[in-house]
Amino acid sequence: MLFRQLFDYTTYTYTYLIADPDTREAALVDSVIEQVDRDLKLLKELGLTLRYCLETHIHADHITGTAELRAATQCQGIVPQNAQAQCADRFIADGEVLRVGRVPIAAIATPGHTDSHMAYLVNGTHLLTGDSLFIRGCGRTDFQSGDAGTLYDSITQRLLTLPDTTLVYPGHDYRGHTVSTIGEEKHWNPRLAGRDRASFIELMGSLNLPNPQKIMEAVPANERCGNMAALAS
Ligand code: FE
């Protein structure tokens, strides 16, 4: 498998490039509109054909690059089942396995940050957690139908039950981390280690985080897969 982690410094967002080195087919997970030129250049340099633009959820902090990438490459835009995005070419359900060449990408329903969030287990080894589990943290649950108890259940029942050696690649990082493992997060994630459901809910309810700067534009734009022309009309 070819696997690349890309970073957007403005919104601290990770985009992931997954490809089959033999068939040269590729997928991008959680692209960012300002980074579309970077991503297209990398695809070209690596000789890859973009098949899918996949989202872990409808983002509130950045606008997806899907519409522009789709226009440039004819890739399919795929969003989690039940996400508010009529622009999607395809929806992906819990347990569904998408294949990029021979590389399997398995969807794992992990609601809580939003009500239709998916994590993706790539190749059985690399877990893209989106905004559910972060390295030593987790996604917020105070807007977009977020729910702390639901997030606790998703993380503890769907993600921490994977093998300890599973690599954890989050949707964001604000402290300079790039990758962790399920075993490491079980022991050292301060939002989870030694906490029961009630104390997690209490902690998440006391965070008082400011809203993301782009929330008012990002959510409606992402419901249109980042198509800014449709947004303006
Ligand atoms: Fe998010």
Side-chain angles (χ1 to χ4, degrees), residues 162-201:
L162 292 167
D164 281 356
T165 51
T166 307
L167 296 167
V168 171
Y169 284 97
H172 298 284
D173 189 87
Y174 305 93
R175 290 182 288 256
H177 293 289
T178 54
V179 57
S180 179
T181 65
I182 287 295
E184 205 178 307
E185 292 311 307
K186 267 187 205 165
H187 283 101
W188 299 111
N189 191 310
R191 297 211 177 153
L192 299 161
R195 257 179 221 288
D196 62 10
R197 196 174 190 273
S199 100
F200 179 82
I201 293 169

